[in-house]
PDB file of all heavy atoms in Angstrom:
ATOM      1  N   ARG A   1       0.829  -1.211   0.000  1.00  0.00           N
ATOM      2  CA  ARG A   1       0.000   0.000   0.000  1.00  0.00           C
ATOM      3  C   ARG A   1       0.863   1.262   0.000  1.00  0.00           C
ATOM      4  O   ARG A   1       0.583   2.223  -0.712  1.00  0.00           O
ATOM      5  CB  ARG A   1      -0.913   0.015   1.229  1.00  0.00           C
ATOM      6  CG  ARG A   1      -2.016  -1.001   1.171  1.00  0.00           C
ATOM      7  CD  ARG A   1      -2.848  -0.963   2.451  1.00  0.00           C
ATOM      8  NE  ARG A   1      -3.902  -1.936   2.443  1.00  0.00           N
ATOM      9  CZ  ARG A   1      -5.119  -1.722   1.938  1.00  0.00           C
ATOM     10  NH1 ARG A   1      -5.411  -0.570   1.408  1.00  0.00           N
ATOM     11  NH2 ARG A   1      -6.031  -2.666   1.977  1.00  0.00           N
ATOM     12  N   GLU A   2       1.915   1.260   0.788  1.00  0.00           N
ATOM     13  CA  GLU A   2       2.733   2.460   0.966  1.00  0.00           C
ATOM     14  C   GLU A   2       3.621   2.747  -0.242  1.00  0.00           C
ATOM     15  O   GLU A   2       3.677   3.867  -0.728  1.00  0.00           O
ATOM     16  CB  GLU A   2       3.599   2.284   2.213  1.00  0.00           C
ATOM     17  CG  GLU A   2       4.461   3.465   2.561  1.00  0.00           C
ATOM     18  CD  GLU A   2       5.289   3.180   3.805  1.00  0.00           C
ATOM     19  OE1 GLU A   2       4.694   2.986   4.882  1.00  0.00           O
ATOM     20  OE2 GLU A   2       6.521   3.124   3.666  1.00  0.00           O
ATOM     21  N   GLN A   3       4.306   1.732  -0.748  1.00  0.00           N
ATOM     22  CA  GLN A   3       5.300   1.965  -1.793  1.00  0.00           C
ATOM     23  C   GLN A   3       4.750   1.783  -3.208  1.00  0.00           C
ATOM     24  O   GLN A   3       5.239   2.410  -4.140  1.00  0.00           O
ATOM     25  CB  GLN A   3       6.505   1.038  -1.584  1.00  0.00           C
ATOM     26  CG  GLN A   3       7.270   1.342  -0.323  1.00  0.00           C
ATOM     27  CD  GLN A   3       8.453   0.408  -0.122  1.00  0.00           C
ATOM     28  OE1 GLN A   3       8.711  -0.463  -0.953  1.00  0.00           O
ATOM     29  NE2 GLN A   3       9.164   0.587   0.974  1.00  0.00           N
ATOM     30  N   TYR A   4       3.753   0.929  -3.377  1.00  0.00           N
ATOM     31  CA  TYR A   4       3.284   0.619  -4.724  1.00  0.00           C
ATOM     32  C   TYR A   4       1.843   1.061  -4.970  1.00  0.00           C
ATOM     33  O   TYR A   4       1.282   0.776  -6.025  1.00  0.00           O
ATOM     34  CB  TYR A   4       3.427  -0.882  -4.994  1.00  0.00           C
ATOM     35  CG  TYR A   4       4.854  -1.346  -4.852  1.00  0.00           C
ATOM     36  CD1 TYR A   4       5.237  -2.132  -3.773  1.00  0.00           C
ATOM     37  CD2 TYR A   4       5.816  -0.986  -5.780  1.00  0.00           C
ATOM     38  CE1 TYR A   4       6.553  -2.545  -3.636  1.00  0.00           C
ATOM     39  CE2 TYR A   4       7.131  -1.388  -5.648  1.00  0.00           C
ATOM     40  CZ  TYR A   4       7.487  -2.166  -4.574  1.00  0.00           C
ATOM     41  OH  TYR A   4       8.783  -2.570  -4.438  1.00  0.00           O
ATOM     42  N   ASP A   5       1.212   1.703  -3.991  1.00  0.00           N
ATOM     43  CA  ASP A   5      -0.157   2.218  -4.109  1.00  0.00           C
ATOM     44  C   ASP A   5      -1.145   1.129  -4.525  1.00  0.00           C
ATOM     45  O   ASP A   5      -2.054   1.361  -5.318  1.00  0.00           O
ATOM     46  CB  ASP A   5      -0.216   3.380  -5.102  1.00  0.00           C
ATOM     47  CG  ASP A   5       0.666   4.538  -4.678  1.00  0.00           C
ATOM     48  OD1 ASP A   5       0.769   4.785  -3.458  1.00  0.00           O
ATOM     49  OD2 ASP A   5       1.251   5.201  -5.557  1.00  0.00           O
ATOM     50  N   LEU A   6      -0.962  -0.073  -4.020  1.00  0.00           N
ATOM     51  CA  LEU A   6      -1.877  -1.174  -4.321  1.00  0.00           C
ATOM     52  C   LEU A   6      -3.067  -1.139  -3.365  1.00  0.00           C
ATOM     53  O   LEU A   6      -2.966  -0.685  -2.230  1.00  0.00           O
ATOM     54  CB  LEU A   6      -1.150  -2.514  -4.216  1.00  0.00           C
ATOM     55  CG  LEU A   6       0.015  -2.715  -5.199  1.00  0.00           C
ATOM     56  CD1 LEU A   6       0.667  -4.065  -4.956  1.00  0.00           C
ATOM     57  CD2 LEU A   6      -0.469  -2.622  -6.631  1.00  0.00           C
ATOM     58  N   VAL A   7      -4.212  -1.642  -3.846  1.00  0.00           N
ATOM     59  CA  VAL A   7      -5.421  -1.717  -3.020  1.00  0.00           C
ATOM     60  C   VAL A   7      -5.988  -3.124  -3.142  1.00  0.00           C
ATOM     61  O   VAL A   7      -5.725  -3.849  -4.098  1.00  0.00           O
ATOM     62  CB  VAL A   7      -6.464  -0.668  -3.461  1.00  0.00           C
ATOM     63  CG1 VAL A   7      -5.959   0.732  -3.187  1.00  0.00           C
ATOM     64  CG2 VAL A   7      -6.828  -0.827  -4.914  1.00  0.00           C
ATOM     65  N   LYS A   8      -6.823  -3.484  -2.173  1.00  0.00           N
ATOM     66  CA  LYS A   8      -7.490  -4.776  -2.223  1.00  0.00           C
ATOM     67  C   LYS A   8      -8.656  -4.682  -3.204  1.00  0.00           C
ATOM     68  O   LYS A   8      -9.155  -3.585  -3.485  1.00  0.00           O
ATOM     69  CB  LYS A   8      -8.006  -5.145  -0.834  1.00  0.00           C
ATOM     70  CG  LYS A   8      -6.927  -5.544   0.130  1.00  0.00           C
ATOM     71  CD  LYS A   8      -7.538  -5.992   1.443  1.00  0.00           C
ATOM     72  CE  LYS A   8      -6.458  -6.478   2.390  1.00  0.00           C
ATOM     73  NZ  LYS A   8      -7.020  -6.927   3.667  1.00  0.00           N
ATOM     74  N   PRO A   9      -9.112  -5.816  -3.715  1.00  0.00           N
ATOM     75  CA  PRO A   9     -10.266  -5.786  -4.616  1.00  0.00           C
ATOM     76  C   PRO A   9     -11.475  -5.170  -3.895  1.00  0.00           C
ATOM     77  O   PRO A   9     -11.768  -5.485  -2.748  1.00  0.00           O
ATOM     78  CB  PRO A   9     -10.525  -7.259  -4.939  1.00  0.00           C
ATOM     79  CG  PRO A   9      -9.223  -7.937  -4.688  1.00  0.00           C
ATOM     80  CD  PRO A   9      -8.560  -7.162  -3.599  1.00  0.00           C
ATOM     81  N   GLY A  10     -12.146  -4.255  -4.571  1.00  0.00           N
ATOM     82  CA  GLY A  10     -13.308  -3.588  -3.998  1.00  0.00           C
ATOM     83  C   GLY A  10     -12.976  -2.252  -3.348  1.00  0.00           C
ATOM     84  O   GLY A  10     -13.882  -1.466  -3.063  1.00  0.00           O
ATOM     85  N   GLU A  11     -11.722  -1.980  -3.099  1.00  0.00           N
ATOM     86  CA  GLU A  11     -11.328  -0.694  -2.520  1.00  0.00           C
ATOM     87  C   GLU A  11     -11.046   0.309  -3.633  1.00  0.00           C
ATOM     88  O   GLU A  11     -10.754  -0.063  -4.767  1.00  0.00           O
ATOM     89  CB  GLU A  11     -10.071  -0.842  -1.662  1.00  0.00           C
ATOM     90  CG  GLU A  11     -10.259  -1.634  -0.404  1.00  0.00           C
ATOM     91  CD  GLU A  11      -8.984  -1.725   0.421  1.00  0.00           C
ATOM     92  OE1 GLU A  11      -7.897  -1.467  -0.119  1.00  0.00           O
ATOM     93  OE2 GLU A  11      -9.089  -2.063   1.600  1.00  0.00           O
ATOM     94  N   GLU A  12     -11.166   1.567  -3.297  1.00  0.00           N
ATOM     95  CA  GLU A  12     -10.855   2.623  -4.252  1.00  0.00           C
ATOM     96  C   GLU A  12      -9.605   3.362  -3.773  1.00  0.00           C
ATOM     97  O   GLU A  12      -9.467   3.642  -2.597  1.00  0.00           O
ATOM     98  CB  GLU A  12     -12.015   3.609  -4.369  1.00  0.00           C
ATOM     99  CG  GLU A  12     -13.241   3.022  -5.010  1.00  0.00           C
ATOM    100  CD  GLU A  12     -14.355   4.047  -5.158  1.00  0.00           C
ATOM    101  OE1 GLU A  12     -14.067   5.253  -5.027  1.00  0.00           O
ATOM    102  OE2 GLU A  12     -15.480   3.627  -5.382  1.00  0.00           O
ATOM    103  N   ALA A  13      -8.751   3.681  -4.718  1.00  0.00           N
ATOM    104  CA  ALA A  13      -7.529   4.407  -4.385  1.00  0.00           C
ATOM    105  C   ALA A  13      -7.702   5.870  -4.782  1.00  0.00           C
ATOM    106  O   ALA A  13      -8.211   6.178  -5.859  1.00  0.00           O
ATOM    107  CB  ALA A  13      -6.348   3.812  -5.128  1.00  0.00           C
ATOM    108  N   TYR A  14      -7.318   6.747  -3.896  1.00  0.00           N
ATOM    109  CA  TYR A  14      -7.367   8.181  -4.162  1.00  0.00           C
ATOM    110  C   TYR A  14      -5.955   8.745  -4.041  1.00  0.00           C
ATOM    111  O   TYR A  14      -5.205   8.364  -3.158  1.00  0.00           O
ATOM    112  CB  TYR A  14      -8.283   8.892  -3.150  1.00  0.00           C
ATOM    113  CG  TYR A  14      -9.727   8.483  -3.270  1.00  0.00           C
ATOM    114  CD1 TYR A  14     -10.261   7.498  -2.444  1.00  0.00           C
ATOM    115  CD2 TYR A  14     -10.545   9.067  -4.213  1.00  0.00           C
ATOM    116  CE1 TYR A  14     -11.573   7.117  -2.551  1.00  0.00           C
ATOM    117  CE2 TYR A  14     -11.872   8.697  -4.326  1.00  0.00           C
ATOM    118  CZ  TYR A  14     -12.381   7.716  -3.489  1.00  0.00           C
ATOM    119  OH  TYR A  14     -13.689   7.348  -3.607  1.00  0.00           O
ATOM    120  N   ALA A  15      -5.659   9.665  -4.937  1.00  0.00           N
ATOM    121  CA  ALA A  15      -4.348  10.318  -4.900  1.00  0.00           C
ATOM    122  C   ALA A  15      -4.570  11.796  -4.636  1.00  0.00           C
ATOM    123  O   ALA A  15      -5.389  12.433  -5.297  1.00  0.00           O
ATOM    124  CB  ALA A  15      -3.618  10.125  -6.213  1.00  0.00           C
ATOM    125  N   ILE A  16      -3.886  12.326  -3.684  1.00  0.00           N
ATOM    126  CA  ILE A  16      -3.983  13.745  -3.373  1.00  0.00           C
ATOM    127  C   ILE A  16      -2.873  14.444  -4.131  1.00  0.00           C
ATOM    128  O   ILE A  16      -1.689  14.197  -3.901  1.00  0.00           O
ATOM    129  CB  ILE A  16      -3.869  13.988  -1.859  1.00  0.00           C
ATOM    130  CG1 ILE A  16      -4.996  13.267  -1.141  1.00  0.00           C
ATOM    131  CG2 ILE A  16      -3.869  15.477  -1.566  1.00  0.00           C
ATOM    132  CD1 ILE A  16      -4.911  13.314   0.353  1.00  0.00           C
ATOM    133  N   LEU A  17      -3.283  15.310  -5.050  1.00  0.00           N
ATOM    134  CA  LEU A  17      -2.317  16.002  -5.885  1.00  0.00           C
ATOM    135  C   LEU A  17      -1.883  17.295  -5.222  1.00  0.00           C
ATOM    136  O   LEU A  17      -2.633  17.882  -4.440  1.00  0.00           O
ATOM    137  CB  LEU A  17      -2.937  16.302  -7.254  1.00  0.00           C
ATOM    138  CG  LEU A  17      -3.405  15.069  -8.024  1.00  0.00           C
ATOM    139  CD1 LEU A  17      -4.108  15.486  -9.306  1.00  0.00           C
ATOM    140  CD2 LEU A  17      -2.244  14.161  -8.338  1.00  0.00           C
ATOM    141  N   PRO A  18      -0.712  17.777  -5.565  1.00  0.00           N
ATOM    142  CA  PRO A  18      -0.273  19.055  -4.993  1.00  0.00           C
ATOM    143  C   PRO A  18      -1.112  20.204  -5.557  1.00  0.00           C
ATOM    144  O   PRO A  18      -1.691  20.097  -6.637  1.00  0.00           O
ATOM    145  CB  PRO A  18       1.187  19.168  -5.431  1.00  0.00           C
ATOM    146  CG  PRO A  18       1.321  18.244  -6.587  1.00  0.00           C
ATOM    147  CD  PRO A  18       0.292  17.175  -6.405  1.00  0.00           C
ATOM    148  N   ALA A  19      -1.186  21.276  -4.812  1.00  0.00           N
ATOM    149  CA  ALA A  19      -1.960  22.438  -5.245  1.00  0.00           C
ATOM    150  C   ALA A  19      -1.347  22.999  -6.523  1.00  0.00           C
ATOM    151  O   ALA A  19      -0.128  23.005  -6.687  1.00  0.00           O
ATOM    152  CB  ALA A  19      -1.959  23.498  -4.153  1.00  0.00           C
ATOM    153  N   PRO A  20      -2.210  23.489  -7.431  1.00  0.00           N
ATOM    154  CA  PRO A  20      -1.665  24.063  -8.664  1.00  0.00           C
ATOM    155  C   PRO A  20      -0.902  25.339  -8.359  1.00  0.00           C
ATOM    156  O   PRO A  20      -1.178  26.035  -7.380  1.00  0.00           O
ATOM    157  CB  PRO A  20      -2.904  24.342  -9.516  1.00  0.00           C
ATOM    158  CG  PRO A  20      -4.011  24.453  -8.540  1.00  0.00           C
ATOM    159  CD  PRO A  20      -3.662  23.567  -7.380  1.00  0.00           C
ATOM    160  N   GLU A  21       0.024  25.636  -9.243  1.00  0.00           N
ATOM    161  CA  GLU A  21       0.791  26.861  -9.054  1.00  0.00           C
ATOM    162  C   GLU A  21      -0.126  28.049  -9.266  1.00  0.00           C
ATOM    163  O   GLU A  21      -1.116  27.972  -9.992  1.00  0.00           O
ATOM    164  CB  GLU A  21       1.958  26.905 -10.039  1.00  0.00           C
ATOM    165  CG  GLU A  21       3.004  25.856  -9.755  1.00  0.00           C
ATOM    166  CD  GLU A  21       4.191  25.990 -10.688  1.00  0.00           C
ATOM    167  OE1 GLU A  21       4.325  27.031 -11.348  1.00  0.00           O
ATOM    168  OE2 GLU A  21       4.977  25.037 -10.735  1.00  0.00           O
ATOM    169  N   SER A  22       0.196  29.173  -8.662  1.00  0.00           N
ATOM    170  CA  SER A  22      -0.656  30.353  -8.770  1.00  0.00           C
ATOM    171  C   SER A  22      -0.711  30.833 -10.222  1.00  0.00           C
ATOM    172  O   SER A  22       0.182  30.590 -11.015  1.00  0.00           O
ATOM    173  CB  SER A  22      -0.127  31.458  -7.862  1.00  0.00           C
ATOM    174  OG  SER A  22       1.158  31.840  -8.293  1.00  0.00           O
ATOM    175  N   ASP A  23      -1.807  31.534 -10.552  1.00  0.00           N
ATOM    176  CA  ASP A  23      -2.006  32.023 -11.915  1.00  0.00           C
ATOM    177  C   ASP A  23      -1.216  33.281 -12.200  1.00  0.00           C
ATOM    178  O   ASP A  23      -1.264  33.815 -13.303  1.00  0.00           O
ATOM    179  CB  ASP A  23      -3.505  32.291 -12.163  1.00  0.00           C
ATOM    180  CG  ASP A  23      -4.297  30.994 -12.106  1.00  0.00           C
ATOM    181  OD1 ASP A  23      -3.700  29.938 -12.370  1.00  0.00           O
ATOM    182  OD2 ASP A  23      -5.499  31.036 -11.804  1.00  0.00           O
ATOM    183  N   LYS A  24      -0.544  33.790 -11.218  1.00  0.00           N
ATOM    184  CA  LYS A  24       0.238  34.998 -11.422  1.00  0.00           C
ATOM    185  C   LYS A  24       1.377  34.720 -12.401  1.00  0.00           C
ATOM    186  O   LYS A  24       2.022  33.684 -12.320  1.00  0.00           O
ATOM    187  CB  LYS A  24       0.852  35.494 -10.106  1.00  0.00           C
ATOM    188  CG  LYS A  24      -0.161  35.898  -9.077  1.00  0.00           C
ATOM    189  CD  LYS A  24       0.551  36.325  -7.808  1.00  0.00           C
ATOM    190  CE  LYS A  24      -0.444  36.562  -6.696  1.00  0.00           C
ATOM    191  NZ  LYS A  24       0.237  36.872  -5.435  1.00  0.00           N
ATOM    192  N   PRO A  25       1.584  35.659 -13.338  1.00  0.00           N
ATOM    193  CA  PRO A  25       2.716  35.438 -14.244  1.00  0.00           C
ATOM    194  C   PRO A  25       4.021  35.567 -13.483  1.00  0.00           C
ATOM    195  O   PRO A  25       4.136  36.335 -12.535  1.00  0.00           O
ATOM    196  CB  PRO A  25       2.567  36.546 -15.294  1.00  0.00           C
ATOM    197  CG  PRO A  25       1.739  37.587 -14.625  1.00  0.00           C
ATOM    198  CD  PRO A  25       0.859  36.882 -13.632  1.00  0.00           C
ATOM    199  N   LYS A  26       4.955  34.793 -13.930  1.00  0.00           N
ATOM    200  CA  LYS A  26       6.262  34.838 -13.281  1.00  0.00           C
ATOM    201  C   LYS A  26       6.931  36.165 -13.607  1.00  0.00           C
ATOM    202  O   LYS A  26       6.787  36.702 -14.702  1.00  0.00           O
ATOM    203  CB  LYS A  26       7.140  33.683 -13.752  1.00  0.00           C
ATOM    204  CG  LYS A  26       6.630  32.343 -13.293  1.00  0.00           C
ATOM    205  CD  LYS A  26       7.570  31.252 -13.693  1.00  0.00           C
ATOM    206  CE  LYS A  26       7.046  29.920 -13.169  1.00  0.00           C
ATOM    207  NZ  LYS A  26       7.908  28.830 -13.558  1.00  0.00           N
ATOM    208  N   ALA A  27       7.651  36.688 -12.657  1.00  0.00           N
ATOM    209  CA  ALA A  27       8.328  37.964 -12.852  1.00  0.00           C
ATOM    210  C   ALA A  27       9.429  37.796 -13.888  1.00  0.00           C
ATOM    211  O   ALA A  27      10.194  36.832 -13.852  1.00  0.00           O
ATOM    212  CB  ALA A  27       8.907  38.461 -11.542  1.00  0.00           C
ATOM    213  N   LYS A  28       9.444  38.735 -14.828  1.00  0.00           N
ATOM    214  CA  LYS A  28      10.475  38.685 -15.854  1.00  0.00           C
ATOM    215  C   LYS A  28      11.782  39.185 -15.257  1.00  0.00           C
ATOM    216  O   LYS A  28      11.784  40.103 -14.450  1.00  0.00           O
ATOM    217  CB  LYS A  28      10.083  39.556 -17.036  1.00  0.00           C
ATOM    218  CG  LYS A  28       8.881  39.035 -17.775  1.00  0.00           C
ATOM    219  CD  LYS A  28       8.559  39.919 -18.948  1.00  0.00           C
ATOM    220  CE  LYS A  28       7.323  39.415 -19.666  1.00  0.00           C
ATOM    221  NZ  LYS A  28       6.952  40.292 -20.780  1.00  0.00           N
ATOM    222  N   PRO A  29      12.875  38.581 -15.663  1.00  0.00           N
ATOM    223  CA  PRO A  29      14.157  39.072 -15.142  1.00  0.00           C
ATOM    224  C   PRO A  29      14.426  40.480 -15.661  1.00  0.00           C
ATOM    225  O   PRO A  29      14.103  40.817 -16.799  1.00  0.00           O
ATOM    226  CB  PRO A  29      15.172  38.079 -15.682  1.00  0.00           C
ATOM    227  CG  PRO A  29      14.490  37.397 -16.813  1.00  0.00           C
ATOM    228  CD  PRO A  29      13.025  37.452 -16.553  1.00  0.00           C
ATOM    229  N   LYS A  30      14.960  41.281 -14.794  1.00  0.00           N
ATOM    230  CA  LYS A  30      15.261  42.661 -15.163  1.00  0.00           C
ATOM    231  C   LYS A  30      16.496  42.689 -16.056  1.00  0.00           C
ATOM    232  O   LYS A  30      17.470  41.995 -15.810  1.00  0.00           O
ATOM    233  CB  LYS A  30      15.521  43.505 -13.915  1.00  0.00           C
ATOM    234  CG  LYS A  30      14.300  43.675 -13.063  1.00  0.00           C
ATOM    235  CD  LYS A  30      14.598  44.564 -11.885  1.00  0.00           C
ATOM    236  CE  LYS A  30      13.358  44.727 -11.028  1.00  0.00           C
ATOM    237  NZ  LYS A  30      13.605  45.573  -9.869  1.00  0.00           N
ATOM    238  N   VAL A  31      16.389  43.503 -17.099  1.00  0.00           N
ATOM    239  CA  VAL A  31      17.514  43.664 -18.014  1.00  0.00           C
ATOM    240  C   VAL A  31      18.362  44.817 -17.497  1.00  0.00           C
ATOM    241  O   VAL A  31      17.865  45.919 -17.270  1.00  0.00           O
ATOM    242  CB  VAL A  31      17.021  43.958 -19.444  1.00  0.00           C
ATOM    243  CG1 VAL A  31      18.196  44.176 -20.371  1.00  0.00           C
ATOM    244  CG2 VAL A  31      16.146  42.818 -19.932  1.00  0.00           C
ATOM    245  N   VAL A  32      19.612  44.555 -17.304  1.00  0.00           N
ATOM    246  CA  VAL A  32      20.512  45.580 -16.808  1.00  0.00           C
ATOM    247  C   VAL A  32      21.125  46.281 -18.011  1.00  0.00           C
ATOM    248  O   VAL A  32      21.723  45.651 -18.883  1.00  0.00           O
ATOM    249  CB  VAL A  32      21.619  44.958 -15.926  1.00  0.00           C
ATOM    250  CG1 VAL A  32      22.586  46.025 -15.463  1.00  0.00           C
ATOM    251  CG2 VAL A  32      20.998  44.223 -14.757  1.00  0.00           C
ATOM    252  N   VAL A  33      20.921  47.582 -18.077  1.00  0.00           N
ATOM    253  CA  VAL A  33      21.461  48.366 -19.175  1.00  0.00           C
ATOM    254  C   VAL A  33      22.748  49.026 -18.692  1.00  0.00           C
ATOM    255  O   VAL A  33      22.779  49.642 -17.631  1.00  0.00           O
ATOM    256  CB  VAL A  33      20.450  49.446 -19.632  1.00  0.00           C
ATOM    257  CG1 VAL A  33      21.027  50.266 -20.762  1.00  0.00           C
ATOM    258  CG2 VAL A  33      19.140  48.790 -20.023  1.00  0.00           C
ATOM    259  N   ALA A  34      23.772  48.896 -19.495  1.00  0.00           N
ATOM    260  CA  ALA A  34      25.047  49.477 -19.116  1.00  0.00           C
ATOM    261  C   ALA A  34      24.973  50.993 -19.231  1.00  0.00           C
ATOM    262  O   ALA A  34      24.353  51.540 -20.144  1.00  0.00           O
ATOM    263  CB  ALA A  34      26.155  48.941 -20.001  1.00  0.00           C
TER     264      ALA A  34
END
């Protein structure tokens, strides 16, 4: 159950997924002007 996520016949397996990343756009790197 722990390592291979196996279940007995008749049981249902559920997987908890990580939260999605925020919808905020990633900050663009600042361009350094000489």
Side-chain angles (χ1 to χ4, degrees):
R1 289 178 181 272
E2 182 181 296
Q3 294 179 1
Y4 301 108
D5 300 325
L6 298 178
V7 293
K8 287 184 176 180
E11 292 181 342
E12 292 182 15
Y14 295 97
I16 300 174
L17 301 175
E21 292 184 15
S22 63
D23 295 334
K24 297 178 187 176
K26 293 184 178 179
K28 293 181 182 178
K30 293 183 180 180
V31 178
V32 178
V33 179

